[in-house]
Amino acid sequence: MPGTVLLLAASPLGRGRLVDAAGVLPVLAAVAPAILSGTDTANVVELADPLEPQAVLTRLRAAAAAPGPLTVYVTGQLHLDRRQRLPHLALARTTPSTVRYTALPWHWIREELRLRPAGATALLVDLHTDAETWRHLAGRPLDSGRTTEVYGRIAPPAGRWGLAEPSYMRTVATLLRSGHRPPLAELHQQALARIADEVATNIVLTARPPAPSDPHAAISAAVRAGRHADADTIAARHEQAAVRVNGPASDDALHWAEVRADLAMFAGDAVRSCRAWLAVAGLRLAAGQAPDAPAVEAAADRAHHQWGSIEDAARARELGPALAELRSRVPGRRQGALENVQRHLRQLQAR
């Protein structure tokens, strides 16, 4: 099965740039797509200093939906937004005061990759930080999801003068240009060995996906085989068990509710997926989570997206008021979300 490769290199223009991220892309692009992916053939998508987080999300979402193996190479710098103190990948227009609106939230990457099958997704990263973000990450590991294989490093501030060098990613690219891709764990160790003096002060990232017995692997296999009902049955069983033990607003129960909402989307049932995301958002808000909490915003955004995919006007009219009420509480990061719902609802009611 063909693989997919996403090359993402981003850093702010101007004085906020800490690392010459895009400078590594020519070296990566010189590697044969099959070597970048570890498959016989591969499609490569390259994003150099993108401007808009939504545009990056669109490309990431398309790559995550590809059925074959996915390898994502990310080079850039992390910053915390001022409101929630969450890590974001800075983009070309990012400044310290606009991180929340102009940078890519790292949890978006995690969310888009989370339902891919274990062993089918790899994330290689060379990330640099400012002093504040470095202190934050020292006590809070960067979360890239349960099913993603992750290798790379996070580097502290390089100093006052000059740009940092993405030496880890450049070394990975140089090793791959030999025409051979070893297992990623081996490639990672080879790269670290070549920059040993530098990486001694870094946070080294090494994470492997769960064993095949993990229920997520069974669910992913069922989805790939088109057995959507079987996948939902597995997830429903785990959701019910979590509700019995910990309650419907527990982290575990909400996780499985989100899995089922995504499974409905994969099955092409936008109505069921929208309703499920509305319920998840409602549970999170009722549990006291803030309207701008990442998980609440994600649930609202996904409910909105699925509502827009409903082809049956009557079913869309039925769910529209609930979505409008949710959007009045959770406007999300894109301006005009509530107005979009209200406008589309008026069009539906005029039919």
Side-chain angles (χ1 to χ4, degrees):
M1 187 175 292
T4 300
V5 175
L6 179 62
L7 306 178
L8 171 56
S11 53
L13 301 175
R15 292 188 303 172
R17 176 167 289 198
L18 303 177
V19 58
D20 180 22
V24 79
L25 283 180
V27 190
L28 282 169
V31 180
I35 300 299
L36 286 172
S37 176
T39 57
D40 290 338
T41 60
N43 301 310
V44 178
V45 178
E46 184 176 317
L47 296 177
D49 283 331
L51 301 177
E52 300 292 341
Q54 289 292 336
V56 178
L57 177 62
T58 298
R59 295 296 187 90
L60 175 64
R61 184 167 289 165
L70 170 63
T71 309
V72 182
Y73 297 81
V74 180
T75 308
Q77 57 193 68
L78 293 176
H79 296 277
L80 302 178
D81 70 294
R82 290 182 173 179
R83 180 183 296 182
Q84 295 175 293
R85 321 298 294 165
L86 295 174
H88 288 60
L89 182 72
L91 303 183
R93 293 177 176 169
T94 299
T95 66
S97 62
T98 65
V99 169
R100 176 172 167 80
Y101 303 102
T102 62
L104 181 76
W106 190 260
H107 62 265
W108 283 11
I109 297 177
R110 179 195 68 215
E111 287 298 307
E112 293 306 319
L113 302 181
R114 69 190 178 94
L115 272 190
R116 287 184 55 81
T121 311
L123 182 62
L124 285 87
V125 302
D126 191 341
L127 300 169
H128 296 250
T129 65
D130 57 19
E132 180 185 31
T133 309
W134 176 253
R135 289 192 297 269
H136 176 88
L137 292 175
R140 301 172 181 83
L142 195 64
D143 183 3
S144 301
R146 305 184 187 197
T147 61
T148 302
E149 192 174 7
V150 183
Y151 298 102
R153 62 91 177 256
I154 302 174
R160 294 183 59 185
W161 308 112
L163 295 178
E165 172 69 21
S167 53
Y168 173 84
M169 194 65 74
R170 190 178 295 276
T171 303
V172 166
T174 301
L175 289 167
L176 292 176
R177 286 184 68 179
S178 68
H180 169 63
R181 172 169 146 159
L184 288 181
E186 182 180 334
L187 175 66
H188 173 64
Q189 291 302 324
Q190 290 177 11
L192 294 180
R194 292 197 179 193
I195 59 169
D197 291 343
E198 179 181 344
V199 83
T201 60
N202 294 173
I203 297 172
V204 175
L205 304 177
T206 305
R208 293 180 175 84
S213 59
D214 185 281
H216 298 83
I219 289 169
S220 297
V223 171
R224 291 200 307 276
R227 295 184 287 106
H228 298 288
D230 291 346
D232 186 64
T233 297
I234 298 171
R237 186 167 63 246
H238 285 276
E239 181 187 15
Q240 290 161 7
V243 169
R244 284 196 305 270
V245 175
N246 300 311
S250 64
D251 288 344
D252 200 28
L254 286 169
H255 166 73
W256 287 111
E258 291 175 343
V259 169
R260 296 189 68 195
D262 273 339
L263 291 176
M265 177 191 67
F266 292 145
D269 191 340
V271 172
R272 182 160 57 93
S273 183
C274 176
R275 185 175 286 116
W277 282 117
L278 288 170
V280 168
L283 282 168
R284 289 191 178 280
L285 288 168
Q289 296 186 24
D292 63 353
V296 177
E297 286 188 340
D301 289 346
R302 288 170 182 247
H304 194 158
H305 180 266
Q306 288 301 294
W307 184 66
S309 301
I310 297 173
E311 296 180 356
D312 186 327
R315 305 299 291 277
R317 283 196 298 269
E318 174 191 342
L319 291 171
L323 179 60
E325 193 278 332
L326 175 62
R327 275 307 194 194
S328 70
R329 302 174 65 190
V330 188
R333 295 174 182 242
R334 300 190 71 176
Q335 292 185 351
L338 175 58
E339 291 78 5
N340 174 271
V341 175
Q342 293 171 333
R343 182 170 56 253
H344 186 43
L345 190 54
R346 286 195 296 269
Q347 293 170 351
L348 290 169
Q349 290 169 342
R351 292 184 186 179

